[in-house]
Amino acid sequence: MFYRLDGRSPRARGSRCLFRATFMLFLTLSVLILAAASDAMGQAKKELPDPYDIAGNELLTPDGVALRATFFPSAKGKNAVPVILLHSWKGSRKEFATLASTLWQAGHAVLVPDLRGHGQSTSQGGRELSASRIGAADIALMVQNDMETLKNFLVRKNNAEELNIEKLCLVGAEMGATVAANWTVLDWSWPQYPGVKQGQHVKALVLLSPERNFRGVGMEEFLKNRLLNQFVSVYILFGNADPKVASRTELIYSTLAKLHPEPPEGQAEQDKTLFFKGLDTKFQGSKLLGQRGLNVEQRIEKFIELRLVNKDYPWREVGKKSSAAK
């Protein structure tokens, strides 16, 4: 066989050329794929609507409290899951900066309010409201007036085909968990008439360090209501480094577990309706968010995907009679 002075045969030289050509083709294709992916990501980011603050009379409660909120719109239209984030006592919507951003980037429509007496929601017809003076009667008004006002905002977005309110999720931290649980009871207590659906929009709840009784307002009706616990999925998260918090939270879970039976053995996780997670930390409520290693934002996002995104809750216009009733 003929060999070149450098010791390589023509066959070896040809193999080397073929390798170089193949490598260059692979490199070119990789660059093109990365460029296309980058363009797609940039386009998706460009198409994601910007968050905006809501003020003025757009969120005016029936008793005259001007609520302030931030809304993170979705680009998914009628497929968007709406989520309301409810802060803790003496807190504000700023508590949810990381969670709101995570859920928004996942494609959800996120409404983050300041409840009455908190944050920027402190004006009631010239009267100043203070979180330090919040009592049982004020929390009841959060449930009856603040939440209904927030829901009506989302109903308008639903009827504009910007989200699907049939997949409504509430996330509440401590006081916010109490408000979320009690409003879920109210949402599921509306009378139903032929062809007209009222309420029953809440399908999932995330409770961060809930309390069975917060400043005189309990959640017993929520814990023991068979109807809503048949249809509403619940996820409880808390820091278990505090034995007192762990004990009270486990009692809440054990009460709910009676109405949320475990799926049969071998059945998929997506049929599970009650989730419970104690995290190795002393932090509670919204302070669980943004903590390295806890991944609470990602846990909540996964729960919403499992129980709402992957479930079939058809969009419908709220307030419009179904064709069957006409």
Side-chain angles (χ1 to χ4, degrees), residues 58-163:
E58 195 168 1
L59 290 176
L60 188 66
T61 68
D63 60 334
V65 178
L67 299 179
R68 297 290 295 272
T70 302
F71 183 58
F72 295 74
S74 171
K76 292 186 176 181
K78 293 193 292 185
N79 293 319
V81 172
V83 187
I84 304 178
L85 308 183
L86 302 171
H87 58 76
S88 60
W89 181 50
K90 291 189 176 181
S92 72
R93 65 189 194 270
K94 293 179 181 179
E95 297 175 7
F96 292 111
T98 58
L99 179 59
S101 178
T102 297
L103 298 181
W104 173 58
Q105 291 181 53
H108 307 313
V110 188
L111 181 59
V112 198
D114 287 334
L115 296 170
R116 65 178 57 218
H118 293 77
Q120 295 179 309
S121 300
T122 57
S123 175
Q124 185 182 29
R127 173 173 167 253
E128 198 71 16
L129 302 176
S130 171
S132 62
R133 295 195 295 269
I134 292 291
D138 301 289
I139 296 174
L141 288 171
M142 290 179 186
V143 174
Q144 296 169 7
N145 290 348
D146 294 11
M147 291 303 298
E148 285 298 310
T149 300
L150 297 169
K151 184 203 76 172
N152 290 338
F153 172 85
L154 292 179
V155 165
R156 294 193 293 272
K157 295 297 182 183
N158 177 85
N159 290 352
E161 302 186 5
E162 296 178 21
L163 53 86

Side-chain angles (χ1 to χ4, degrees), residues 86-87 115 139-140 142-143 147 170-185 205-219 222:
L86 302 171
H87 58 76
L115 296 170
I139 296 174
M142 290 179 186
V143 174
M147 291 303 298
L170 307 180
V171 179
E174 298 170 305
M175 179 191 76
T178 299
V179 173
N182 281 278
W183 187 70
T184 299
V185 173
L205 279 177
V206 178
L207 306 178
L208 304 177
S209 307
E211 296 185 30
R212 197 156 187 155
N213 188 295
F214 183 84
R215 298 180 73 82
V217 180
M219 55 169 65
F222 164 75

Side-chain angles (χ1 to χ4, degrees), residues 95-99 208 284-291 294 296-297 300:
E95 297 175 7
F96 292 111
T98 58
L99 179 59
L208 304 177
Q284 304 297 338
S286 59
K287 290 183 175 63
L288 293 168
L289 301 168
Q291 300 296 332
L294 297 184
V296 173
E297 290 86 347
I300 294 173

Side-chain angles (χ1 to χ4, degrees), residues 242-279:
D242 185 330
K244 183 177 179 181
V245 172
S247 177
R248 79 184 185 208
T249 311
E250 286 166 5
L251 283 173
I252 292 173
Y253 170 74
S254 62
T255 303
L256 282 172
K258 297 173 184 176
L259 302 177
H260 291 265
E262 286 289 318
E265 188 175 351
Q267 203 161 324
E269 187 185 25
Q270 56 259 31
D271 293 320
K272 188 174 181 178
T273 58
L274 178 61
F275 300 80
F276 180 77
K277 184 63 179 178
L279 302 164

